[in-house]
Amino acid sequence: MKSARTMDVALWVALAVPAVSADAIGLNEPRPLWARFGGLVVLAAATATWRTRPATAFLLAAALGLTAPALFSVSYGPALAVLALLLGRHGTRARPALLAFAAVWAAGTVRILVRDVDPVVEWLVLMGTLLFGVVFPWLAGRYWRQGRALAAAGWERADQLEREQRIVADRARLRERARIAQDMHDSLGHELSLIAVRAGALQVAADLPAHHRAAASDLREAAATATDRLREIIGVLRDEGDESAPLAPPGETVAQLVARAAESGLPVRYEDDGTDASDGAGRIAYRVVQEALTNAAKYAPGAPVTVTATGTGSTTTIEVSNGPPPHGDAPRPAPPDGGSGLADLRARVAAGGGTLTAGPRGGGFRVTARLPAAGAPRPAAPEPTPPPPGSVLAHARRRTALTFGAAVAIGAVLVAGAFTWYAYTKTHSVLRPADYAALRVGQPQSQVAAVLPDRSVTDPPVERAPTPPPAGADCRYYRSSGELFTSLTHFRLCFDDGRLVDKTVIPKAGADRSMRGEAAWAR
């Protein structure tokens, strides 16, 4: 808090130095002491409120420029620009600043209209001051604030990416656990199903004693129960919302898998048309056959199973079908079409670019998978192209550059317009000294008008006139030369009742005021 107050005091001193110096060296029109002291007090109020109310501080500085003898004098120009910069730096919204700018423009326009000066030049001065002394610093402040905000957002983004990286690593571990759990379910479930098939074969053996057949029946039931328990445990470990992680290719082919199941006592046969189901999506075909044989052994024990592999060049079709169980065997409930095993299998087949259908058929069950053959193109979903690095920042910089460029262009047009109008008004209000010397007091106004220029001076140096103008007369002022940006001698012509009643020479700054019009130009 103490450091903030110290900075405010330093800011006040920095803004007060131009105000005091400009008056001391005569850059401004003379002002009374109370006006100078009041300006310093207003600057102190502005520096005390710029942190909490930057728009109010800016309006205080603008009020000093609007109430000065000359519009936006040198004394308070630096304060106006600095507080506009701070308004852009600390103002969170653009609307209050734009409203403040509009208020300053409106107040300046009203002041120009009520004064007896050339409104065009004064209004162009007002617009140039607002553009270069207000809008430009405000835009610089906003760019400064946005730069700091982007830097802070960048660090925050880096922290977020680091957190997301840790989450991705944790998720990868969970996916690996789910993959291992699924692999255990697929492999152990299949082996337990084969054990149940072997136990079923022992159970119906005629040469086996009754107590051995009872033990084989118990073994068969235990294997089936273990399969169910295994599915429940694996279901706890799996992440249902995650995609199935791919397993490593199995070590045996589909034909070898069917042969091993047949050796275990499962009534299964394998048919193909020369198509090697292990090519292309071999691991997916292996999983389809493994899951279908496991379900057949579990839900239809003793039922004949047929595995068929056919190919059409671009597609390999795997079909596993089983009939109803033999008479005398009570079939277990058929697997639902949306069970977790078939659902996972359907998702895995779809991920490989194929389709899977499963459902009852002729009292049994059939699973059909259509998989793309080896070398067949697979449609790939187009991935969104991420924006190139730094594109957002580059876009922000381009917008800022365009904003500044537009402001510079508008300012250049205003300055060029102000200079053009200034040159036009000054060069078209010149009364040649010879024509002035030829004029005589008492001439009709119509004769005098024949030698007068198109325009008269709208901001004459009346304070340098050697004599006051005649009361009630209509006085007009003219320049003695077309030179610009320098002090010149002016002529005053006053008319009353249609005649020239006074002609006076107003000397340029620093000249001897005792030199009078006609006497000075007659020599």
Side-chain angles (χ1 to χ4, degrees):
M1 185 68 178
K2 185 177 180 180
S3 61
R5 291 180 179 176
T6 304
M7 292 180 60
D8 292 344
V9 172
L11 178 62
W12 175 77
V13 172
L15 298 182
V17 167
V20 176
S21 301
D23 290 331
I25 63 180
L27 293 179
N28 296 327
E29 296 183 12
R31 295 186 300 160
L33 182 61
W34 66 267
R36 303 180 188 178
F37 181 75
L40 296 179
V41 172
V42 173
L43 284 180
T47 55
T49 58
W50 71 270
R51 294 181 184 276
T52 56
R53 297 179 179 273
T56 302
F58 166 77
L59 289 175
L60 289 175
L64 291 176
L66 291 172
T67 56
L71 191 64
F72 295 117
S73 61
V74 180
S75 299
Y76 306 116
L80 185 69
V82 170
L83 291 174
L85 174 69
L86 295 177
L87 175 60
R89 171 66 180 85
H90 293 274
T92 57
R93 296 183 303 167
R95 184 176 181 181
L98 297 178
L99 291 177
F101 299 161
V104 174
W105 174 83
T109 302
V110 170
R111 171 180 167 161
I112 292 171
L113 294 177
V114 299
R115 293 181 63 194
D116 188 17
V117 295
D118 187 355
V120 176
V121 175
E122 290 287 321
W123 190 80
L124 289 175
V125 170
L126 171 64
M127 294 300 298
T129 303
L130 286 178
L131 182 63
F132 293 101
V134 175
V135 176
F136 272 15
W138 176 70
L139 290 176
R142 284 182 63 84
Y143 182 74
W144 182 14
R145 180 176 62 84
Q146 289 175 359
R148 293 176 64 91
L150 285 175
W155 285 111
E156 183 179 354
R157 176 61 176 167
D159 294 340
Q160 181 182 358
L161 290 176
E162 185 176 354
R163 292 193 299 269
E164 290 179 354
Q165 188 65 28
R166 290 196 296 266
I167 294 174
V168 168
D170 294 340
R171 190 171 182 83
R173 286 193 294 269
L174 292 176
R175 286 170 60 88
E176 180 63 16
R177 186 179 69 172
R179 188 194 69 81
I180 295 173
Q182 186 66 36
D183 195 8
M184 290 174 56
H185 171 268
D186 295 342
S187 301
L188 295 181
H190 181 69
E191 298 299 331
L192 288 174
S193 297
L194 295 182
I195 292 175
V197 170
R198 290 179 179 271
L202 291 176
Q203 181 182 356
V204 297
D207 56 347
L208 197 66
H211 63 282
H212 286 170
R213 285 199 299 270
S217 176
D218 294 340
L219 178 60
R220 176 183 175 184
E221 293 295 331
T225 303
T227 303
D228 294 337
R229 293 291 304 277
L230 178 63
R231 182 182 297 273
E232 294 174 1
I233 295 173
I234 297 304
V236 174
L237 295 177
R238 292 179 62 254
D239 182 7
E240 295 292 346
D242 196 7
E243 296 180 358
S244 298
L247 300 176
E252 60 183 355
T253 64
V254 173
Q256 293 171 345
L257 172 65
V258 174
R260 187 162 60 88
E263 293 175 357
S264 300
L266 186 67
V268 56
R269 71 178 187 275
Y270 179 67
E271 299 177 356
D272 62 12
D273 58 354
T275 300
D276 187 358
S278 299
D279 291 341
R283 63 182 181 183
I284 301 179
Y286 184 94
R287 274 290 297 117
V288 170
V289 176
Q290 186 182 57
E291 181 70 20
L293 292 180
T294 302
N295 289 336
K298 178 179 179 181
Y299 296 104
V305 182
T306 302
V307 179
T308 304
T310 58
T312 60
S314 61
T315 304
T316 299
T317 303
I318 303 294
E319 182 179 296
V320 182
S321 59
N322 62 268
H327 297 290
D329 290 344
R332 303 184 67 184
D337 184 56
S340 62
L342 290 176
D344 293 341
L345 193 59
R346 183 176 288 106
R348 191 170 299 183
V349 170
T355 60
L356 183 136
T357 57
R361 175 180 175 272
F365 203 83
R366 180 173 61 183
V367 177
T368 304
R370 292 178 177 83
L371 307 171
R378 300 182 184 181
E383 297 183 358
T385 303
S391 61
V392 177
L393 182 58
H395 178 67
R397 288 177 175 173
R398 283 196 300 270
R399 290 186 58 185
T400 303
L402 290 175
T403 302
F404 274 97
V408 170
I410 295 174
V413 171
L414 288 176
V415 170
F419 177 78
T420 302
W421 181 257
Y422 173 80
Y424 175 81
T425 56
K426 299 305 180 185
T427 56
H428 284 71
S429 60
V430 176
L431 176 61
R432 293 185 302 172
D435 293 336
Y436 172 81
L439 297 177
R440 294 293 180 265
V441 174
Q443 281 185 277
Q445 186 174 356
S446 58
Q447 294 181 4
V448 176
V451 298
L452 295 181
D454 299 337
R455 301 180 59 87
S456 61
V457 176
T458 56
D459 53 345
V462 294
E463 70 280 357
R464 297 201 303 264
T467 59
D474 178 20
C475 296
R476 303 176 186 179
Y477 299 83
Y478 301 94
R479 293 163 56 90
S480 62
S481 172
E483 298 180 55
L484 303 177
F485 306 108
T486 185
S487 179
L488 295 175
T489 300
H490 285 68
F491 302 128
R492 184 182 69 193
L493 302 179
C494 297
F495 300 91
D496 190 8
D497 197 18
R499 292 187 176 274
L500 179 65
V501 296
D502 178 72
K503 52 178 296 190
T504 303
V505 176
I506 301 177
K508 63 183 178 180
D512 187 1
R513 297 188 180 184
S514 63
M515 299 178 61
R516 301 288 174 96
E518 292 168 288
W521 293 101
R523 288 195 289 268

